[in-house]
Amino acid sequence: MNPKELIVKCYAKQEEGEWVAVCLDFCLATQGSSLDEVKRKLEEQIAFYVDEALQDQEYGNQLLARRAPITQWFEYYFIRLTNMIYPNTSVVFDEMLPLRLA
């Protein structure tokens, strides 16, 4: 891994005809009509969130340490496990963001 990159754990699933994507490492979520759309929207949301956190001298470290609830982590690992057995309508993925180091 390049030390100038940040890798965060994410998953996406279909719920009632919509796709929902979740970033576990920052407790962020988005929804849309397709997998590509939610992945793009989540990537943009993560980039904005990290950029804002890096600029916030007082609360930046707390923002970067914010994690999703344990139930969402269980769901991530359940999806990961079931996808190894048979593919379904949920996916796990990592987002890699370049960090701008000052």
Side-chain angles (χ1 to χ4, degrees):
M1 180 175 81
N2 183 338
K4 293 183 181 180
E5 295 173 341
L6 172 67
I7 298 175
V8 293
K9 299 216 177 307
C10 306
Y11 70 89
K13 64 180 183 172
Q14 280 188 301
E15 285 185 351
E16 299 176 11
E18 290 281 311
W19 279 90
V20 176
V22 176
C23 171
L24 296 165
D25 292 299
F26 301 130
C27 195
L28 300 172
T30 190
Q31 65 183 36
S33 58
S34 71
L35 177 59
D36 289 337
E37 179 185 4
V38 294
K39 285 178 77 172
R40 178 188 49 77
K41 288 170 72 174
L42 189 61
E43 182 179 303
E44 291 170 0
Q45 191 177 31
I46 293 167
F48 179 78
Y49 184 84
V50 169
D51 190 50
E52 289 294 312
L54 291 175
Q55 293 181 34
D56 188 329
Q57 297 291 320
E58 189 172 351
Y59 296 108
N61 286 337
Q62 290 176 347
L63 292 171
L64 293 175
R66 187 176 82 164
R67 301 291 181 260
I70 191 78
T71 55
Q72 288 182 319
W73 283 92
F74 284 142
E75 186 168 28
Y76 168 84
Y77 285 108
F78 179 77
I79 291 168
R80 188 175 202 117
L81 177 64
T82 57
N83 279 343
M84 291 187 326
I85 299 168
Y86 58 92
N88 57 27
T89 58
S90 301
V91 294
V92 295
F93 57 96
D94 295 330
E95 283 296 324
M96 190 170 13
L97 302 171
L99 292 177
R100 292 183 287 279
L101 300 176

